Amino acid sequence: MMNLEQLNGPQITFDQVSLKAGSQVLLKPISCEFSAGGWHAILGPNGGGKSTLLKTILGLTSHHGSIRIKWPSSTASSDKSTLGKIGYLPQLMPFDASMPISVNDYLLMSLTNKPVWFKRQLPKTAIDALKSIHLEDKLNRKIGDLSGGERQRLMLITALLQNPSLLILDEPMTGLDKKGREDVLHLLENFHQAGGTILMVEHDWPLVQRYCNQVYWIDQSLQQQSDPKTFFTNKAASTVTHTNIALETISAPVQSAVESTAEYTTKSISLNN
C-alpha cells in the first residue's frame, strides 16, 4: 500500500478557530494543538461540532481564526511522496445502489486521472490493500452491492492508497462487524506506529482508551483536552457526581411515596384481620 516505515505526520495548530452558519454558532473560538504523529480522538455529543471541525481542517468550510498544518521537512529517511497528503474518510452515508460502478472501477478512478474505460489494471499495491481487508474477491462487484461495513473498509483503503501522512476519519468504525473492526484497527495501528498523524471522531470509548494518545471533548467549543486515562477518570467522576445530585433531588419524593405505600399496606392488613 505504501512504505509505512517512512511516514512523518504533521502537527496541526488551531488559533481561535470559530465558525458560524448565518446566525447559528457552530464552533466557538478553539485554540489547541494536535501533535505530530499522534492518534487524536475527538469526542462530544451529537451536534457538538466534531464533524464540522474535521471539515474545517480540510478547507471544506469557511472559518475565522487560523489553522496551521506544519508538515515536516523532508529528510533522507522520509518518503517525500507522503508529504502534504491527507487521507479523508467521511461519515458512512447512504449510497445509491443503482450506480453501475464496480470496486475495480472505483479504485481505478480514485488512483488515476484517466477515464475508467481505458484498459488498465490495478497496481499490485491496490490488490494487496484489498487482501488486507478481505475484499479481494469483491473486485467485480458493484459498490452498491457491498454492505455498509465493506464500503467503509473500501473507503479507508482508498484513502490510504493516496499515500497520506495525515488521516482524518469521521466515525471510521460505523457499520463494521468484529472482523472488519479488527482489519481497520490493524491498518490504523500500523499507520500510527509508522509516524502518521490521525484525527478521529469516534463514539467507541473503550477503543479510544486503548489506542489514542489524546482526547478532545468538543461541544461547540473545546471543553477538555487530556490523555485518555485522565479524561475518562474525570468523566467517570463527573458521571458519579451528576448521578448523586439526581438521586438527592428525587430522594425526598421517592421516600415519601414509599412511606405512603407502606402505611397504606399496613392499614389494609389491619382491616383484613
Side-chain angles (χ1 to χ4, degrees), residues 26-42:
L26 301 180
L27 288 176
K28 298 177 182 178
I30 293 176
S31 295
C32 66
E33 181 179 291
F34 301 93
S35 61
W39 192 336
H40 307 279
I42 301 171

Side-chain angles (χ1 to χ4, degrees), residues 138-172:
K138 304 289 196 301
L139 266 178
N140 296 317
R141 183 168 296 186
K142 289 197 302 182
I143 296 285
D145 291 336
L146 298 179
S147 68
E150 288 171 336
R151 285 205 309 274
Q152 191 80 332
R153 283 181 281 158
L154 177 63
M155 300 304 165
L156 175 61
I157 281 297
T158 304
L160 286 170
L161 284 169
Q162 309 302 320
N163 291 325
S165 56
L166 168 62
L167 276 180
I168 295 181
L169 313 173
D170 200 344
E171 301 183 23

